Amino acid sequence: MKKLILLAVIGLGIVSCTTQNRIKNMTDLPKDWKHTTNIYEVNLRQYTQEGTFKAFEKEMPRLKAMGVKTLWFMPITPIAQQNKKGSLGSQYAASDYTSINPEFGTLDDFKHMVNEAHRLGFKVLIDWVANHTGWDHVWTKTHPEFYLKDPDGKFHIASGMDDIIELDYKNQEMRLAMIEAMKYWVKETNIDGFRCDLASWVEVDFWVQARPEVEKIKPLFWLGEFDELESPDYGKVFDASYSWKWMHKSEDYYKKMNRFRN
């Protein structure tokens, strides 16, 4: 009986130590805002009738009341017109990395909105599309050597998406120009980070090179679009990541369940 009691006490001690360790580990988690924030993706075109920075700015108090902490803006750069999709074109086919899409407003409008967001307690991320540009990006004229080329010398189309062309990350000058473009937005507008589109389509050593250079200005939040299980090296560079795999698996499951029910 005494042995049973002793074993029970030891068992409780083990459970207690384990619980205390778990609590200690939880309290040791990073308290930096990047590890506790929630993020709201902003599509300026559709969010308001006007589709502008000024119009969205009026909506920010409502998002704050909802508990949103970080605003991620889909690309705010001008849209390439050559080979564009539909009448509007895709925001992910940039024509210039250091200009504002005029349909959204001006650079001063964006700066004002960022300042107001900060006043309300938000952090601000912008979408950064490093893998590709639109066909008439300024670099296609000033630095065509920045791009991958097909055997016939034409710009290389990005994975079947015929409105965008891929950059050549073997070109060191292009890398430096890309880093300078990212610095521009931090210095000029005081944003708090980047959501990096198709991050794993860009060589990981570029991000390793870019992050410390851009963060010479200020610490930033780096959110990458990639699957961390498939690309663990990228997880060493980015603060957070996500992929579309879960969405597609959920969609497939839902469709299968509906077929079963019918």
Side-chain angles (χ1 to χ4, degrees):
M1 184 67 177
K2 289 180 180 179
K3 289 182 180 178
L4 290 174
I5 293 172
L6 180 60
L7 287 172
V9 171
I10 291 172
L12 286 171
I14 293 170
V15 171
S16 176
C17 289
T18 303
T19 304
Q20 288 175 3
N21 287 336
R22 284 177 181 168
I23 293 170
K24 184 176 184 298
N25 290 338
M26 289 174 67
T27 58
D28 285 344
L29 288 174
K31 295 180 175 63
D32 187 83
W33 68 271
K34 293 180 287 188
H35 299 278
T36 58
T37 192
N38 56 52
I39 302 171
Y40 186 93
E41 181 181 4
V42 181
N43 184 343
L44 277 169
R45 275 179 162 176
Q46 274 72 42
Y47 196 93
T48 65
Q49 186 173 354
E50 300 88 345
T52 63
F53 298 126
K54 286 183 177 180
F56 177 77
E57 189 174 312
K58 299 172 185 176
E59 302 291 328
M60 290 195 296
R62 184 172 68 85
L63 291 172
K64 181 182 179 181
M66 290 169 57
V68 174
K69 301 295 183 184
T70 297
L71 301 170
W72 149 27
F73 289 87
M74 290 173 67
I76 59 173
T77 48
I79 296 169
Q81 296 302 297
Q82 184 179 344
N83 299 331
K84 71 178 182 181
K85 288 187 177 294
S87 59
L88 292 175
S90 167
Q91 297 170 79
Y92 292 86
S95 66
D96 187 354
Y97 279 124
T98 55
S99 297
I100 288 282
N101 185 339
E103 72 177 271
F104 299 151
T106 66
L107 179 61
D108 284 339
D109 292 340
F110 182 68
K111 288 180 179 179
H112 190 280
M113 186 198 68
V114 172
N115 289 338
E116 180 63 11
H118 286 161
R119 189 188 71 79
L120 291 171
F122 291 110
K123 300 292 186 179
V124 177
L125 311 182
I126 63 169
D127 225 316
W128 196 255
V129 188
N131 177 70
H132 53 260
T133 74
W135 281 83
D136 53 6
H137 189 281
V138 292
W139 286 354
T140 62
K141 301 171 182 66
T142 60
H143 292 286
E145 71 277 10
F146 283 3
Y147 292 84
L148 292 175
K149 305 284 179 46
D150 289 333
D152 61 4
K154 294 181 180 178
F155 293 124
H156 182 70
I157 297 173
S159 297
M161 295 176 279
D162 54 11
D163 64 328
I164 51 179
I165 49 178
E166 291 191 345
L167 291 161
D168 181 6
Y169 274 85
K170 292 183 177 64
N171 188 305
Q172 296 304 311
E173 288 186 18
M174 187 280 293
R175 286 178 174 234
L176 295 177
M178 182 70 71
I179 291 169
E180 286 303 311
M182 299 180 85
K183 285 182 176 180
Y184 169 84
W185 292 102
V186 183
K187 289 187 289 189
E188 288 294 320
T189 68
N190 197 28
I191 59 167
D192 303 292
F194 298 94
R195 176 269 179 185
C196 298
D197 181 67
L198 297 173
S200 60
W201 286 22
V202 175
E203 284 83 344
V204 69
D205 65 345
F206 168 73
W207 300 118
V208 172
Q209 175 187 2
R211 178 166 183 168
E213 284 298 313
V214 182
E215 287 197 335
K216 286 178 180 178
I217 303 168
K218 64 183 280 191
L220 299 168
F221 180 21
W222 297 74
L223 171 63
E225 183 187 13
F226 65 93
D227 188 321
E228 199 150 342
L229 294 177
E230 294 178 356
S231 306
D233 287 346
Y234 288 79
K236 298 173 184 177
V237 186
F238 287 85
D239 297 299
S241 63
Y242 70 97
S243 71
W244 299 103
K245 185 177 293 185
W246 176 251
M247 180 192 75
H248 294 307
K249 286 186 177 296
S250 299
E251 181 184 21
D252 291 343
Y253 176 79
Y254 179 76
K255 288 177 178 177
K256 287 176 183 176
M257 289 303 293
N258 274 351
R259 285 199 297 268
F260 178 76
R261 287 170 184 156
N262 294 332

